[in-house]
Amino acid sequence: MNPRNYQRELDRIIKNITRTETVPKLLLHSCCGPCSSYVLEYLAPYFEIVLFYDNPNIQPRAEYDHRLAEQRRVIAHTRAPHGIRLIEGDYDPARYARAVKGLTHLPEGSERCFACYRFRMEAAAALAKRLGCEYFATTLSISPYKNADAINAIGEEIAEVAGVAHLPNDFKKRGGYQRSIVLCKAWDIYRQHYCGCIFSQREWEARTAAQREKESSQ
């Protein structure tokens, strides 16, 4: 069986949108400003976007606030003919703790991360339903470190329950990740060193320390 091409599926949806005079509303969960930069640039011509910044996994609170401020700056730089409305989720780290309970010993990119995707996407789909959005999605797939197959599979499972269509995506395709780097450099946007949670922070710190030790021994 050939793997699914989520970019091609998204292409078809966008092509159908351009054939009509209606502008669908998209609830887009954003994991951070840098990841949203290209995704907003790409989707804004075709959708009215509600950007949902719901990331209680981010630690510490100062880091969360910094990333939220950068998210606002990205929106300010983005040309959006149909508008971008930012909604901030509740910063309640206990939500994240419940979502990954029993999985905290697992490494980055594991089921721990999939559980983190899921609880934020579930919140996004529920909000999309309340706001009458036609679609929901997340920016997470732009990262080369995130599993697009898992993200889309989770999105489709949630869509069946929530009653809102999941917008298929793999935003890293067609140079999406590289474009986000270009945009962040042009706009002087802070690009974080770790995904967000305390576990990814610790892994980043351990890698950094190991690299420094290696360099000092040479």
Side-chain angles (χ1 to χ4, degrees):
M1 179 182 292
N2 292 328
R4 287 176 62 180
N5 188 317
Y6 298 106
Q7 177 63 56
R8 192 171 299 158
E9 293 178 25
L10 179 54
D11 286 342
R12 286 196 291 268
I13 291 172
I14 289 176
K15 186 176 181 179
N16 288 334
I17 291 171
T18 61
R19 291 172 173 170
T20 70
E21 296 182 358
T22 60
V23 178
K25 184 184 291 187
L26 168 67
L27 192 295
L28 180 64
H29 166 263
S30 175
C31 57
C32 65
C35 286
S36 73
S37 59
Y38 163 74
V39 179
L40 290 174
E41 179 187 63
Y42 175 36
L43 297 180
Y46 312 107
F47 297 91
E48 174 188 348
I49 297 175
V50 178
L51 194 70
F52 187 37
Y53 187 86
D54 186 43
N55 302 295
N57 56 304
I58 297 174
Q59 295 281 351
R61 178 61 190 256
E63 179 73 14
Y64 171 89
D65 289 339
H66 189 183
R67 296 189 192 190
L68 176 58
E70 294 299 274
Q71 178 67 81
R72 296 183 190 279
R73 293 184 61 228
V74 167
I75 293 172
H77 280 289
T78 303
R79 296 183 61 183
H82 310 296
I84 301 172
R85 174 187 175 191
L86 176 65
I87 296 179
E88 181 186 359
D90 294 330
Y91 184 72
D92 179 7
R95 289 172 55 209
Y96 171 69
R98 289 192 296 270
V100 300
K101 185 177 180 180
L103 304 172
T104 57
H105 63 289
L106 298 176
E108 195 77 0
S110 67
E111 290 293 332
R112 186 193 78 212
C113 295
F114 298 168
C116 186
Y117 305 162
R118 181 178 292 276
F119 92 93
R120 289 180 287 168
M121 292 174 72
E122 285 175 341
L127 181 58
K129 182 69 173 180
R130 292 199 299 272
L131 297 179
C133 298
E134 285 85 354
Y135 297 96
F136 79 96
T138 178
T139 61
L140 284 163
S141 71
I142 194 172
S143 170
Y145 305 106
K146 299 292 188 293
N147 187 317
D149 289 329
I151 291 167
N152 280 276
I154 291 168
E156 289 170 1
E157 290 175 11
I158 293 170
E160 290 188 9
V161 176
V164 180
H166 176 255
L167 190 71
N169 64 84
D170 189 353
F171 294 121
K172 70 177 69 65
K173 297 293 187 181
R174 296 182 182 165
Y177 178 70
Q178 289 76 15
R179 176 62 178 166
S180 74
I181 294 173
V182 170
L183 290 172
C184 288
K185 184 176 181 179
W187 299 339
D188 193 27
I189 301 296
Y190 161 68
R191 294 184 67 88
Q192 57 271 11
H193 298 292
Y194 61 97
C195 182
C197 70
I198 187 65
F199 309 108
S200 63
Q201 182 184 25
R202 289 170 180 168
E203 290 185 25
W204 169 70
E205 290 173 346
R207 289 194 302 270
T208 302
Q211 181 62 30
R212 286 175 180 168
E213 183 177 352
K214 179 180 178 181
E215 291 173 353
S216 65
S217 65
Q218 291 178 347

